[in-house]
Amino acid sequence: MDRSEPPPEVAEGEDFGYRLFPERHSEAKLSFLTTSLFTFNHKCQVMLRIALDTNPYAQLLLDAMKQSGCTVYKDRHFACEDCDGCVSGGFDSATSQIVLCQNNIHQQSHMNRVVTHELIHAFDHCRAHVDWFKNVKHLACSEIRAANLSGDCSLVNEITRFKFGLKQHHQTCVRDRAIRSILAVRKVSKETAEKAVDEVFDSCFNDHEPFGRVPHSKSDAKYAYRDFQNRNRYYANL
Amino acid sequence: MSSMVLGSGSCATVSASSMADGGAWRPPRTCEDYWSEWKHCKGIRNFFHNYYTYGEVPSCEQWKIDYSNCRKWEKSKSPDAKESLCKSERARILEKQKYDPVWKLRKTPPRDWYLPLGQDKSK
């Protein structure tokens, strides 16, 4: 958030979703012993390292962010914390940090997906003037992109949520998850969230940066990474 | 993400003199990439993913055409092959630019990206 701007007009009781991440506001730090014995912090750190080192979605996003001038450092830009509710992670634009909910992520595939999802928000923050706090359409756009490109809406994931559909179901899922994400972090009505998503859907659903395509699998992500690495040749010969 | 930088090997170079600059231009992708994109497009997984995402079967013919133009260029530096390839790739880019962006792109990254933690908290 740009400090030179006046503070945003906020709805009464608006907390921008920070209630879901109690450690973000807590001054008290847990001791090393408490963290080691009573939280999933170490497991989160290990899974995060594996995701950053081996997952092609994450690797492409890290490269793209480096190219945009936002090199990501694990210790600076990621934080494993306990969160409330069922939330898996978040992007805190105030501190330029991705928060991973160590108490809610227990499988590597889930970690891969959350890291990708949040890196997409970070990528958007890096490459564009995204007004996270005042402009619901901007938030909606980033949530549409994150749901679309991270694998959140794969058929398998939808089936595990008991959401069944085939023809164009991906778009239904993206729309619904974007609305849910907005409602989780902003004190707006469902109608406001739905309207914002509908207004920006065409533009944001078809914005596939930095992948260039919707990566439905690691194989798709590897093709996308190959194209990204060859972009200089590509644009030089058009 | 990237702006189109027209280098010395760009498609905009006049076709009549393409033999003079023929050393500079090359297809935007390798011929192997066109081939692998075509095979990937035709596969059953992509068929399913396209139907799941867009509700229709994928159209893969253009990758095959691009592959054969790429090989044609490699073999004989054909100006027609070059023009077809350029036209095809530009159409792909225009397809992606159909919609107005929601936000304004930055010229420089956010200035607090690298700030140490604790120094950028506003409260």
Side-chain angles (χ1 to χ4, degrees), chain B residues 31-44:
Chain B
C31 297
E32 288 76 20
D33 284 357
Y34 285 114
W35 176 261
S36 67
E37 289 288 358
W38 178 54
K39 295 292 278 184
H40 178 260
C41 183
K42 276 194 329 161
I44 187 82

Side-chain angles (χ1 to χ4, degrees), chain B residues 8-25 73 77-80 82-83:
Chain B
S8 60
S10 83
C11 289
T13 315
V14 171
S15 297
S17 64
S18 65
M19 290 312 290
D21 86 304
W25 189 84
W73 165 265
K77 301 285 184 277
S78 153
D80 288 339
K82 175 185 170 183
E83 199 186 317

